[in-house]
Amino acid sequence: MRIIFLWIIIFSIVTGCNNNNTITKASANIDSPQNKADVLRVNMDTAVNPSDDFFMYANGGWIKSNPIPPDQGSWSIGNLVIEENLKRLRSISEKAAATKSAHGSTEQKIGDYWSTAMDSAKIEQLGLQPLKPYFDKINAINDIKSLVATVADLKKIGSSTLFNDYVAQDDKNSEVMSYKLVQGGIGLPEREYYFKTDSATSNIRSQYVNYITRTLIMAGEDGTKATADAKSILSLETKLAKASRKIEDLRDPYANYNKMAIAELPKMSSNIDWSLFLNNTGIKGIDSVIVGQPEFFKALNNILTGTPLDVWKSDLKFNLISDFSGALPEQYGIESFNFTRLFTGAKERRPRWKRVIQSEEASMGELLGQLYVKEFFSETAKKRYSDMVESIRDALKDRIGKLTWMTDSTKQKAYVKLAAMKKKVGYPDKWKDFSSMDIGHESYLQNLVNAHIWWHNYNMNKLGKPVDRDEWDMTPQTYNAYYNPSNNEIVLPAGIFTVPNYRDEQLDDATVYGYAGASTIGHEITHGFDDEGRQFDEKGNLKSWWTKKDEEEFKKRADVMVRQFNEYEPVKGYHINGKATLGENIADLGGILLGIEAFKKTEQYKKGEKIQGLDPMQRYFLGYALGWLGQIREEQLRNRLLTDVHSPAKYRVNGPFVDVDEFYTTFPIQPNTPMYRPDSLRVRIW
């Protein structure tokens, strides 16, 4: 996916579990507990029957009183956390910019990045001049060989075309870092945008052509040529999309693992000079690569020669400008926003300072994180959630033991994997070394380029070296979490534990076990045993450790969930893709069940006392729903239904709840109502 859509991913999906995941605690100047409104009661709409729509019953009061701001495509409790963190990071950046720090220091890099990015007058004065060296490379292309060499150069600075490539652990040997080639080269968020024929999608394709045309004209291209090139670029990308696998087909780790010797690459795509490309990319000391989708590269081989060089050159030029539009004069940023708003529904562009913090996060987020955790995440909070991981791990062990559909041999291996699962809570024990990242006063765009080059080299240099299992792929301030199957680990950044305006001591266990225990910790642990994660062993290797009978039983039960979510139609004509979202849906359901088992061991559950008229188990379910409190514009909802492997927030509450037996004993859910699902149709996996 191209960089022009990265901000959609970061702020809309809030995306590992890449998403609006759960939230928790910490804010300065918070009222005392006795003066705080109950965090659950204050959001409810009791005029809604929980049998009809539990999501609106739990969150409808907040939704009615909190309209989506004009610069947002959605608005949720996750956005509130992000907004709070943006202010914190702005304060950190402004302090760093005001400090005369030594060159190369953390404060100097943060301060100079911030000050150059906020200097809009200088950005306007420079125009496209910082991109001239790359335009010159593009203009000098005279054959396929020089085209591919230029693509390699542009990838290093953060503008990716043709296909995607990256370095990651070998799926079948987690002790080795491997180089991977996967499909790519399209500018729209997902392949289906090139083929769906409804009016909204057809309009997006039309506006995409207009966006390309206007961008090329602003960059000095003749209007007639720009229009023709834009249409040709769409045609080119449509061919690449046709050769790409659908989103649901990318979930099968075996089907997307095709290891081959470097010497064999020309047999797949002979028109690419692979030796030159790999050398320009900085790939050294390896004899094999892992290709995700070989058929894509075979098709690309013909597309390369079947597309005129002038079209390729315009494609590279457009993408270069589009990828860096946020660091260029305002007219480019405005054009980018006007197009991407088709996927978000946002009415206004975000303030410059917020866009800069977003960029700074992507470039040097862990540097910011070092300063962030000193001020906003205590050791006490880290211990609380570390302990909660263990209580939920124990809950899964107990549930595995009680499974009637799984044989003992597979259970024993599941125990081993669960026990080996590593937890990372709050922030890294070892920080990345950014000393070689060159950040200065030359220009915002140059700092952005330098950061991209640093990250490119950082990742490529992992080849041939031992796997660093202590590394984090998210920053501490990130409002998200993830499970990494290759490391068999769950990673829970400090930012995911924040409920705006509430401290830990102001939140009861029922609420915490719902929104933190279930929708983050239990969710991520369950990912180790979802349709994809279950195929990796305790060491992180893609390896079958199930009996054939158990695999068949799992798939039979998973298919029930696929059918359930396929039924949901959040927007007319746009259903949830049950197969593409299966892993996240399994993790949601598993997280809820594990949270319940762990919560039942707490004193609050055992005492059974009500708070604000709600008993402990009612507060648990409402606490889980709190993590998904929010609303979304139709434009963004449509986009997510096509591109996101997570179900929309409402269905991450209502969907799994109807499969949970305790839900029916906790609330008066009546047969023949929307929230009632017959026992015979309920999903039974973990």
Side-chain angles (χ1 to χ4, degrees):
M1 193 175 294
R2 296 276 172 77
I3 289 174
I4 57 173
F5 292 100
L6 185 59
W7 70 274
I8 297 176
I9 300 170
I10 293 173
F11 283 97
S12 298
I13 300 174
V14 192
T15 124
C17 277
N18 306 329
N19 54 73
N20 276 343
N21 234 334
T22 149
I23 28 205
T24 343
K25 25 234 167 233
S27 246
N29 303 317
I30 299 175
D31 296 338
S32 62
Q34 59 267 30
N35 295 330
K36 293 295 284 188
D38 179 59
V39 69
L40 302 178
R41 273 289 180 194
V42 73
N43 297 317
M44 294 174 66
D45 183 354
T46 55
V48 177
N49 190 319
S51 283
D52 293 332
D53 186 341
F54 191 87
F55 176 83
M56 288 303 295
Y57 168 74
N59 298 325
W62 186 91
I63 289 172
K64 288 180 180 177
S65 58
N66 289 272
I68 302 174
D71 66 341
Q72 298 284 343
S74 61
W75 194 241
S76 68
I77 194 166
N79 291 99
L80 298 181
V81 176
I82 291 169
E83 292 297 311
E84 185 172 292
N85 279 340
L86 284 172
K87 293 174 183 176
R88 291 172 173 177
L89 297 175
R90 179 180 185 174
S91 176
I92 289 171
S93 298
E94 288 178 336
K95 287 178 183 177
T99 303
K100 301 285 186 182
S101 301
H103 185 76
S105 67
T106 295
E107 288 77 8
Q108 177 267 317
K109 293 180 192 295
I110 292 173
D112 284 359
Y113 195 99
W114 170 262
S115 59
T116 56
M118 290 300 292
D119 190 350
S120 57
K122 184 175 183 179
I123 293 170
E124 294 294 330
Q125 179 185 5
L126 289 173
L128 293 178
Q129 188 63 28
L131 290 179
K132 186 178 183 303
Y134 308 104
F135 289 150
D136 290 343
K137 288 186 177 183
I138 293 171
N139 291 333
I141 293 172
N142 56 17
D143 56 17
I144 298 299
K145 184 175 182 177
S146 57
L147 166 65
V148 172
T150 302
V151 166
D153 290 338
L154 295 178
K155 281 179 179 289
K156 287 187 285 191
I157 69 167
S159 186
S160 181
T161 51
L162 288 190
F163 53 85
N164 292 324
D165 62 327
Y166 59 95
V167 172
Q169 286 163 275
D170 187 320
D171 294 311
K172 294 186 177 181
N173 183 1
S174 64
E175 296 299 325
V176 174
M177 300 302 293
S178 60
Y179 180 61
K180 301 188 177 184
L181 297 169
V182 296
Q183 65 191 41
I186 59 176
L188 296 177
E190 211 277 326
R191 75 178 298 280
E192 295 308 307
Y193 277 104
Y194 294 87
F195 307 114
K196 282 182 68 68
T197 57
D198 62 287
S199 59
T201 309
S202 297
N203 179 59
I204 284 172
R205 287 195 293 271
S206 176
Q207 291 303 315
Y208 186 40
V209 170
N210 292 339
Y211 171 47
I212 298 171
T213 301
R214 287 192 294 268
T215 299
L216 293 175
I217 290 173
M218 287 190 302
E221 194 166 293
D222 172 76
T224 301
K225 185 177 186 304
T227 301
D229 283 347
K231 292 178 180 178
S232 296
I233 289 171
L234 177 63
S235 176
L236 163 63
E237 291 185 3
T238 302
K239 294 174 185 176
L240 294 173
K242 186 176 181 180
S244 301
R245 294 184 186 177
K246 294 183 177 181
I247 187 171
E248 60 266 30
D249 296 328
L250 297 175
R251 289 195 55 76
D252 185 339
Y254 282 99
N256 290 279
Y257 182 98
N258 302 278
K259 196 168 190 175
M260 61 178 64
I262 287 178
E264 294 180 313
L265 289 176
K267 298 178 183 178
M268 181 177 67
S269 299
S270 59
N271 289 319
I272 295 178
D273 186 331
W274 286 105
S275 295
L276 177 63
F277 177 83
L278 295 174
N279 183 64
N280 283 11
T281 304
I283 304 298
K284 301 175 182 177
I286 61 171
D287 56 11
S288 63
V289 300
I290 297 172
V291 181
Q293 303 78 34
E295 73 279 7
F296 173 85
F297 289 90
K298 291 176 182 177
L300 176 61
N301 192 56
N302 295 325
I303 295 171
L304 273 169
T305 55
T307 303
L309 280 179
D310 278 350
V311 174
W312 280 117
K313 291 162 78 169
S314 291
D315 179 62
L316 266 57
K317 186 175 183 179
F318 159 70
N319 282 293
L320 178 63
I321 296 170
S322 182
D323 290 340
F324 287 98
S325 60
L328 294 173
E330 278 293 275
Q331 61 175 338
Y332 296 99
I334 291 171
E335 282 295 336
S336 177
F337 167 75
N338 286 338
F339 177 61
T340 55
R341 68 193 292 185
L342 296 174
F343 306 94
T344 67
K347 310 302 179 186
E348 296 177 2
R349 198 177 180 205
R350 308 197 83 200
R352 182 174 195 86
W353 73 268
K354 292 183 180 181
R355 289 183 272 121
V356 169
I357 290 296
Q358 171 197 328
S359 171
E360 195 173 348
E361 279 268 83
S363 295
M364 54 179 68
E366 206 166 282
L367 275 183
L368 287 166
Q370 293 177 38
L371 303 182
Y372 176 91
V373 297
K374 288 180 182 178
E375 192 169 351
F376 300 115
F377 193 69
S378 69
E379 285 297 324
T380 301
K382 182 170 183 174
K383 184 179 186 305
R384 178 178 191 178
Y385 296 106
S386 182
D387 290 345
M388 191 176 291
V389 171
E390 296 310 318
S391 67
I392 291 175
R393 192 198 304 260
D394 289 342
L396 180 53
K397 182 178 180 180
D398 291 342
R399 291 189 69 86
I400 291 172
K402 296 174 183 176
L403 293 177
T404 58
W405 59 267
M406 180 178 279
T407 61
D408 186 65
S409 62
T410 303
K411 284 183 181 181
Q412 294 306 315
K413 293 174 182 176
Y415 291 146
V416 171
K417 178 172 183 175
L418 179 62
M421 189 178 290
K422 184 175 181 179
K423 63 180 177 182
K424 295 178 179 177
V425 181
Y427 50 86
D429 294 323
K430 180 179 68 176
W431 300 98
K432 291 182 178 69
D433 180 4
F434 288 85
S435 59
S436 62
M437 182 183 286
D438 185 16
I439 302 297
H441 288 292
E442 183 178 343
S443 72
Y444 177 23
L445 191 140
Q446 190 59 52
N447 283 339
L448 200 55
V449 166
N450 290 349
H452 282 307
I453 292 174
W454 185 92
W455 278 107
H456 175 88
N457 293 337
Y458 174 83
N459 287 312
M460 296 304 165
N461 286 337
K462 293 179 181 180
L463 291 170
K465 297 178 181 177
V467 173
D468 182 1
R469 293 185 183 267
D470 294 323
E471 183 179 14
W472 283 50
D473 291 329
M474 284 182 180
T475 66
Q477 62 272 24
T478 299
Y479 178 67
N480 211 333
Y482 66 92
Y483 171 75
N484 179 355
S486 293
N487 276 350
N488 189 27
E489 65 180 6
I490 58 170
V491 183
L492 312 168
I496 199 62
F497 300 119
T498 310
V499 167
N501 303 316
Y502 288 84
R503 293 191 298 260
D504 277 356
E505 61 267 27
Q506 295 171 326
L507 299 168
D508 60 302
D509 277 344
T511 301
V512 173
Y513 271 85
Y515 70 74
S519 60
T520 294
I521 298 172
H523 175 99
E524 301 306 339
I525 287 177
T526 305
H527 268 315
F529 302 89
D530 68 14
D531 63 308
E532 193 170 9
R534 72 169 188 83
Q535 300 185 70
F536 292 79
D537 67 14
E538 77 278 5
K539 295 181 180 179
N541 295 314
L542 185 58
K543 180 181 178 182
S544 178
W545 51 272
W546 294 59
T547 67
K548 185 176 181 181
K549 176 181 179 295
D550 290 335
E551 282 195 340
E552 291 173 351
E553 282 291 333
F554 179 94
K555 291 176 182 177
K556 181 173 67 175
R557 293 160 191 274
D559 284 343
V560 176
M561 179 165 271
V562 171
R563 291 192 294 270
Q564 175 189 339
F565 278 82
N566 279 341
E567 296 171 4
Y568 298 133
E569 187 179 13
V571 178
K572 186 173 177 56
Y574 288 72
H575 285 255
I576 293 177
N577 186 330
K579 188 176 180 182
T581 59
L582 178 60
E584 298 300 331
N585 296 333
I586 290 174
D588 284 341
L589 176 58
I592 293 165
L593 295 173
L594 297 182
I596 288 173
E597 296 303 318
F599 174 56
K600 285 181 177 179
K601 296 178 181 179
T602 66
E603 286 301 311
Q604 182 181 1
Y605 176 80
K606 293 174 182 177
K607 289 180 179 179
E609 296 174 354
K610 291 186 176 182
I611 299 175
Q612 291 291 309
L614 299 167
D615 68 39
M617 193 55 74
Q618 287 175 324
R619 295 185 66 80
Y620 171 84
F621 282 104
L622 290 166
Y624 176 87
L626 174 66
W628 302 107
L629 175 152
Q631 54 187 317
I632 184 171
R633 298 188 195 278
E634 185 173 310
E635 295 92 337
Q636 189 171 110
L637 181 54
R638 279 200 306 266
N639 180 56
R640 290 195 194 180
L641 289 167
L642 290 179
T643 64
D644 196 353
V645 295
H646 304 81
S647 298
K650 177 177 179 177
Y651 300 89
R652 298 189 72 170
V653 176
N654 292 355
F657 276 8
V658 301
D659 293 315
V660 178
D661 293 343
E662 284 88 348
F663 178 62
Y664 296 88
T665 58
T666 302
F667 293 95
I669 308 302
Q670 301 300 316
N672 300 316
T673 61
M675 291 299 301
Y676 185 88
R677 195 168 186 84
D679 183 84
S680 61
L681 295 179
R682 294 176 197 170
V683 178
R684 310 287 190 188
I685 303 178
W686 296 109

